[in-house]
Amino acid sequence: MALQSLHIRRLRVPRKTTAVTSGRQRAQSFLIVATLLYRASHLAVGVLAVVRRPTDQPLPYVGIVLALALSGLTYGAALRRGRFDARHIWADVVVTGCVLPLALIAWGGVSTPPALGWAMLLGGSASAAAAIALDRLHAVTVVALLLLSHFIGYQAVGASSAVIAGHLNSLVSSAVMTWVFRWYLLRQGSLLDEANARALAAEAHKARYAERLEHHRALHDTVLATLTTLAAGSVDANAPEVRARCAREAAYLRRLIQQTADEVQHREIGTALEEAVGSVEGLQLRVTAQYHRLPQVPPAVAAALGDAVREALNNVRRHAGTGHAYLTATADPDGRGGALVTVVDRGPGFDPENCTPGLGLRGSVHARMAEVGGRATVDSAPGEGVRVELRWPG
């Protein structure tokens, strides 16, 4: 007979995701925004200069449009990627910083320093971006190219020595100050990352210590207490209740030894399942449990899985008639970061078509899983036992 399944509709739970970036990444993003604002101020001056000085020469209009387009490409890509593309920087430097001023003098009808000033300003923001995006040698090369082309340009329009010296000084200063800011911010970002790494390591050490302490207390209250009592000779080691207790504690030790490092770090689900197993073992139900690569789940999900497993094991104790259940918990094989837990017994089973799920199965298994966005299914057939599968997300 084909196995039948009882399904509960999944309730969707909204989730929030938070992007985590390093200190160096945040510093780099800040530098991109800062140089973008610097370039925006120069572009604003350029647009106003071109609009306020009508001319029959089309080149100034073409030049400001080209500068806007290159700026959009350079800084738009940098904002998306979190870093500058060196090819965009070189294109901006050559076209906007070097070629545009000389082209305006040669073919754009520009013959005075004030008329050329807006194009020269763009060289300052070009040198600043180069100091961030390029290595030291290439950044120095960019500054040298800008100095040479701007010196030639201002000489061609008859600028005074003071104007030339002041402008060339601003080109160098923009690059130097930006490079200093970059060095300082990236250094602070690295120090912040190192401090965060130390804090995480300390928290992990603290968590491992707390885990060991919890295990020590559990062993003290269970296995050690039993061994101490047996060594004192105050009880009959062959008494059925003593042997049953020893079997339960041996099973607990076996599961403890089988835990992996991942399960220790993300133990919420393991703790909930262990509590469920312990509660039914005290009622004379033997549970063979296997845990493998337990995933990290929210506390509410771990609690729901533990409660659902407890009810499923209670059903085995009440109805299966075997006194033995099998529990398996692992990461979701679909690779979605979820959990898959199964409870199986080898009892007489039942026919799902002729059996209505009881209150415990509906309220303690299906409903609990649905409330946290999971799903429970029950497979059974006469003579084939019962398999309860708990999956999160559903």
Side-chain angles (χ1 to χ4, degrees):
M1 178 183 293
L3 297 180
Q4 303 290 331
S5 299
L6 301 177
H7 297 277
I8 289 293
R9 181 173 60 88
R10 177 183 176 185
L11 300 180
R12 296 188 179 274
V13 178
R15 301 176 189 170
K16 296 180 179 179
T17 58
T18 303
V20 179
T21 57
S22 69
R24 287 183 64 88
Q25 289 172 327
R26 289 193 291 270
Q28 187 73 21
S29 297
F30 174 81
L31 289 167
I32 292 172
V33 173
T35 51
L36 170 60
L37 295 175
Y38 191 32
R39 169 55 63 89
S41 67
H42 292 172
L43 289 172
V45 172
V47 170
L48 290 175
V50 172
V51 171
R52 289 181 178 180
R53 292 177 182 238
T55 177
D56 56 356
Q57 295 289 341
L59 192 58
Y61 298 99
V62 173
I64 192 63
V65 170
L66 185 59
L68 288 167
L70 271 175
S71 299
L73 173 65
T74 302
Y75 291 93
L79 289 173
R80 288 194 305 271
R81 301 176 182 177
R83 59 180 177 80
F84 282 109
D85 189 319
R87 295 171 300 177
H88 296 162
I89 294 295
W90 276 107
D92 181 59
V93 167
V94 172
V95 175
T96 304
C98 297
V99 174
L100 178 58
L102 299 180
L104 290 174
I105 297 171
W107 303 293
V110 174
S111 59
T112 63
L116 188 64
W118 69 268
M120 293 299 200
L121 270 179
L122 295 173
S125 49
S127 68
I132 293 175
L134 305 179
D135 59 61
R136 190 176 303 176
L137 178 59
H138 287 144
V140 170
T141 302
V142 163
V143 174
L145 286 174
L146 291 171
L147 290 173
L148 178 61
S149 60
H150 285 211
F151 176 79
I152 294 173
Y154 266 137
Q155 284 280 16
V157 295
S160 66
S161 299
V163 171
I164 296 175
H167 179 72
L168 298 184
N169 177 68
S170 69
L171 286 177
V172 176
S173 299
S174 294
V176 171
M177 286 190 294
T178 306
W179 185 87
V180 171
F181 292 154
R182 173 184 179 274
W183 170 81
Y184 178 77
L185 289 175
L186 291 182
R187 180 174 179 272
Q188 294 303 310
S190 297
L191 292 175
L192 178 60
D193 291 338
E194 292 172 5
N196 287 337
R198 289 194 298 269
L200 289 174
E203 286 296 323
H205 177 76
K206 182 179 178 181
R208 288 193 296 269
Y209 176 77
E211 181 71 18
R212 289 196 300 270
L213 182 61
E214 184 177 342
H215 287 164
H216 293 166
R217 288 172 176 170
L219 292 173
H220 174 272
D221 296 339
T222 56
V223 178
L224 183 58
T226 301
L227 292 175
T228 301
T229 302
L230 291 174
S234 57
V235 297
D236 181 6
N238 292 319
E241 58 273 16
V242 175
R243 297 178 62 184
R245 176 166 177 164
C246 290
R248 289 196 302 271
E249 293 175 0
Y252 168 73
L253 272 179
R254 189 175 300 110
R255 290 191 294 271
L256 190 64
I257 293 172
Q258 289 174 345
Q259 287 183 338
T260 66
D262 287 339
E263 291 156 10
V264 171
Q265 292 175 9
H266 309 311
R267 55 178 293 278
E268 294 91 346
I269 184 174
T271 300
L273 296 178
E274 271 299 314
E275 290 174 354
V277 170
S279 68
V280 297
E281 283 183 332
L283 299 176
Q284 307 301 313
L285 176 67
R286 181 183 167 209
V287 180
T288 298
Q290 291 288 332
Y291 305 145
H292 179 63
R293 297 185 62 82
L294 295 181
Q296 184 177 18
V297 300
V301 175
L305 287 170
D307 292 337
V309 165
R310 181 181 291 105
E311 180 57 25
L313 292 174
N314 283 332
N315 283 337
V316 174
R317 182 178 59 83
R318 287 193 297 261
H319 307 300
T322 64
H324 193 183
Y326 300 86
L327 169 66
T328 303
T330 184
D332 191 340
D334 292 340
R336 296 182 298 169
L340 178 63
V341 181
T342 59
V343 177
V344 178
D345 69 69
R346 296 176 180 173
F350 61 91
D351 185 355
E353 294 182 350
N354 299 322
C355 182
T356 302
L359 179 62
L361 195 60
R362 292 196 309 270
S364 297
V365 178
H366 289 296
R368 276 198 176 105
M369 293 304 299
E371 287 171 358
V372 295
R375 184 184 69 204
T377 60
V378 179
D379 292 343
S380 183
E384 296 187 12
V386 179
R387 182 178 187 271
V388 178
E389 179 181 285
L390 311 174
R391 186 182 293 270
W392 181 88

